[in-house]
Amino acid sequence: MALDETTEDLARAAAGGDHRALGELLKRIEPDVLRHCGRILPYRQDAEEASQDTLLAVARNIGRFEGRARFSTWLHIVTANCARTTYRSLKRRAAEQSSDELPLHNKPDVARVSVIAGSRLDLLDAMEALETDKPELAQALVLRDICQLDYNEVAEQLGIPLGTAKSRIHQARKYVQGALGDAYGF
């Protein structure tokens, strides 16, 4: 999400308590938030649910945005977190449905196979572990591999040198690959 300076200004004003600025900010970011949720959740309904959760989280937590980094960086993380939370909720619901509907020997292994959107659930679990253990690495990985920013943009968004951004992304990928096991590769 490459947000313009007007959006960054609105975010700072909203963080300071300006309700008009918050309303305008939410309208401006909604299309980008939906697009990024769609990268994680390929079904439009799921992406829309995550998008609404993201906008609600922004509205509720804008006061926590301190302005040390760009708003777009903060928004990337909030968006990815909300999309992953929606995904975990879908995973839980699908597991509950599959346990009610399938005989025991036909149940899918929800740790390896997604019954939602054909994506791997284990990747989200690995990302969650990475975020818990090494949040600075998770931020860089989310910006690069989920939000699809180039390395220079990741460095700029995080306010770090390019080499540091590349190193964090590399370390994060190694961590995730280790969590996924040898059967998975990038």
Side-chain angles (χ1 to χ4, degrees), residues 143-176:
L143 292 173
R144 176 68 185 124
D145 290 351
I146 295 175
C147 299
Q148 299 178 340
L149 299 182
D150 67 34
Y151 289 103
N152 288 323
E153 291 172 316
V154 171
E156 180 183 325
Q157 292 284 330
L158 295 176
I160 58 177
L162 177 61
T164 302
K166 288 180 177 181
S167 174
R168 286 183 184 179
I169 292 163
H170 176 73
Q171 290 174 32
R173 286 175 177 163
K174 281 180 64 173
Y175 182 99
V176 169

Side-chain angles (χ1 to χ4, degrees), residues 3 16 35 87 109 114 131 139:
L3 303 178
R35 189 176 71 252
Y87 198 88
D109 178 3
S114 173
E131 189 167 22
Q139 287 179 342

Side-chain angles (χ1 to χ4, degrees), residues 63-83:
R64 294 182 185 167
F65 173 63
E66 299 172 352
R68 288 186 300 216
R70 294 183 56 82
F71 173 72
S72 55
T73 301
W74 185 79
L75 182 59
H76 282 301
I77 303 303
V78 171
T79 301
N81 288 344
C82 287

